[in-house]
Amino acid sequence: LHMGLTASDVLDTALAVQMQQSCDLLLNNLRKLRGVLAAMAKKYKYTLMVGRTHGMHAEPITFGLKMALWTMEIDRHIKRLNAVRENVSVGKISGAVGTFANVDPQVEEHVCRSLGLYPAYVSTQVLQRDRHAELVSALALIGSSLEKFATEIRNLQRTDILEVEEDFAEGQKGSSAMPHKINPIASERIVGLSRILRGNAVAMMEEIALWHERDNSHSSVERIALPDSCILLDYMLYSFTHVMQGLRVFPENMEKNINATRGLIFSQRVLLALVEKGILRETAYDWVQRNALNSWENEIDFEYLVLEDKDISAYLSREEIMDLFDMEYHTKNIDYIFARAGLN
């Protein structure tokens, strides 16, 4: 094997096969998760919940729409990892500095073709490490999305929200000290592990800059970062898919939380209705905001205050105001969004 070759000819080409096969395994896991999320999107397509911005109640969305958003993000990762798979499916058997001085280029062509790889158009003693860094960066991006999803579950499982909850097995302990606790431990674990993936991605980027035609500073890094990242993401995808398959969803709590702000989620509809009547937006905003703050501070229904406001009622009839507080108004384009996402 070393007749005219260097060890990197064999090892880098074999590593390319391993990366390609790892991508295939991870792509299979991504597709499984995508299927679970898409099914949940369809199931809860019209299940209303409050949307939150800055952690505060905003306007209604549906839980299915949230799941559709996650499904589309996984679709992007599938597309991204497929592209990375192609970029790492490259071999080289071009000798000590990549000149084919002591090995016929046809050997590289034959070996790469036999392994399902492409020959690198130009190489040195090694395949260039931007390919390897790209793979781990893609894995870190996937891990970051899983962290985002898991963080959302953790927040929605909080005692004061409780719109979803991780499955809790019989006999499982949430806290060794407090028997009442049901903690989102799987989601918390995914959040923590994603940080390792991002750290590995940085380490892999650091090994791109090798001296001249090759040095050995990359080898020690990637022997840890490459296999660990692939194995770690494989576990994270399996774990999060299991979380979503067993996730308990509480539509009744979603409805309760929507109503917790006594109709404040309709403030923009009142604002826009006044603007459509010819009121300056700044003036309409002041009218709506004073009622909204009164509602919040004194625990009075927002709709009642709007109906009683003389400035607002001078431009909007009682029937027009009551129509503005229709929850279904916020789902009128859900079908359009799902059709555009291919989730119908």
Side-chain angles (χ1 to χ4, degrees):
L1 291 177
H2 271 258
M3 288 296 293
L5 305 185
T6 178
S8 292
D9 286 300
V10 179
L11 294 174
D12 272 14
T13 303
L15 181 57
V17 175
Q18 291 176 306
M19 290 190 292
Q20 183 189 75
Q21 293 175 347
S22 295
C23 285
D24 289 339
L25 292 170
L26 294 171
L27 282 164
N28 185 51
N29 289 343
L30 280 168
R31 294 186 188 103
K32 287 180 181 177
L33 176 56
R34 198 265 184 199
V36 173
L37 294 176
M40 293 186 71
K42 295 173 185 177
K43 180 177 180 180
Y44 298 105
K45 184 177 182 179
Y46 303 111
T47 302
L48 282 161
M49 66 182 298
V50 70
R52 296 173 172 90
T53 58
H54 305 276
M56 310 295 287
H57 285 205
E59 291 184 341
I61 61 170
T62 73
F63 187 64
L65 186 62
K66 190 183 292 287
M67 294 298 99
L69 182 80
W70 294 5
T71 303
M72 293 299 97
E73 193 155 345
I74 294 299
D75 276 348
R76 292 194 296 276
H77 286 309
I78 291 172
K79 182 178 180 180
R80 188 175 288 121
L81 193 55
N82 269 314
V84 171
R85 182 190 187 278
E86 183 174 353
N87 287 339
V88 299
S89 296
V90 175
K92 64 86 62 183
I93 300 180
S94 54
V97 289
T99 61
F100 294 103
N102 299 302
V103 59
D104 193 314
Q106 293 302 313
V107 174
E108 183 183 74
E109 291 278 351
H110 170 73
V111 171
C112 287
R113 184 169 59 250
S114 300
L115 295 173
L117 305 175
Y118 302 98
Y121 291 145
V122 183
S123 62
T124 60
Q125 189 175 106
V126 295
L127 288 168
Q128 301 310 289
R129 260 43 197 179
D130 63 287
R131 301 179 187 275
H132 306 67
E134 183 184 10
L135 171 58
V136 180
S137 296
L139 304 189
L141 281 172
I142 297 169
S144 295
S145 289
L146 295 180
E147 178 181 10
K148 182 180 83 173
F149 305 159
T151 298
E152 183 69 6
I153 290 172
R154 292 170 61 198
N155 271 316
L156 295 181
Q157 188 170 332
R158 285 163 42 194
T159 307
D160 51 338
I161 295 177
L162 196 57
E163 294 178 351
V164 303
E165 185 177 78
E166 284 187 10
D167 189 33
F168 198 74
E170 185 177 352
Q172 182 177 336
K173 292 181 175 63
S175 165
S176 60
M178 296 170 283
H180 73 279
K181 294 291 293 293
I182 298 177
N183 298 329
I185 56 171
S187 295
E188 290 174 335
R189 188 181 306 120
I190 288 167
V191 168
L193 293 177
S194 71
R195 298 165 185 167
I196 299 174
L197 285 177
R198 289 195 292 275
N200 285 350
V202 172
M204 292 297 292
M205 291 179 194
E206 295 289 343
E207 69 168 30
I208 293 174
L210 302 179
W211 287 12
H212 305 298
E213 278 58 60
R214 184 263 169 106
D215 65 54
N216 204 34
S217 61
H218 65 90
S219 179
S220 55
V221 177
E222 65 195 32
R223 288 183 188 186
I224 298 170
L226 265 175
D228 278 13
S229 296
C230 292
I231 293 168
L232 183 54
L233 184 60
D234 178 78
Y235 168 75
M236 291 170 66
L237 286 168
Y238 169 82
S239 180
F240 189 70
T241 301
H242 180 73
V243 167
M244 296 310 295
Q245 287 172 327
L247 192 70
R248 300 176 66 195
V249 180
F250 304 116
E252 65 279 7
N253 287 345
M254 294 178 179
E255 182 180 2
K256 182 177 69 174
N257 290 334
I258 283 180
N259 295 323
T261 55
R262 295 179 172 82
L264 291 181
I265 56 176
F266 297 103
S267 67
Q268 182 175 199
R269 288 213 67 198
V270 180
L271 170 66
L272 295 178
L274 289 168
V275 172
E276 289 171 1
K277 292 291 185 177
I279 307 300
L280 288 175
R281 191 181 188 281
E282 291 78 5
T283 302
Y285 192 99
D286 288 340
W287 293 354
V288 175
Q289 187 183 51
R290 75 187 181 205
N291 285 288
L293 295 177
N294 186 14
S295 171
W296 181 250
E297 292 171 3
N298 297 298
E299 300 183 356
I300 304 171
D301 283 349
F302 181 57
E303 183 178 7
Y304 169 79
L305 292 173
V306 172
L307 286 167
E308 295 298 312
D309 188 290
K310 292 181 180 180
D311 289 327
I312 295 175
S313 60
Y315 291 89
L316 296 173
S317 69
R318 184 176 186 85
E319 290 73 21
E320 286 176 320
I321 290 173
M322 293 178 69
D323 285 344
L324 298 176
F325 287 79
D326 177 15
M327 194 76 68
E328 299 304 319
Y329 173 86
H330 292 278
T331 65
K332 64 180 182 179
N333 289 315
I334 294 295
D335 285 341
Y336 167 77
I337 296 171
F338 270 63
R340 187 170 62 178
L343 289 171
N344 281 349

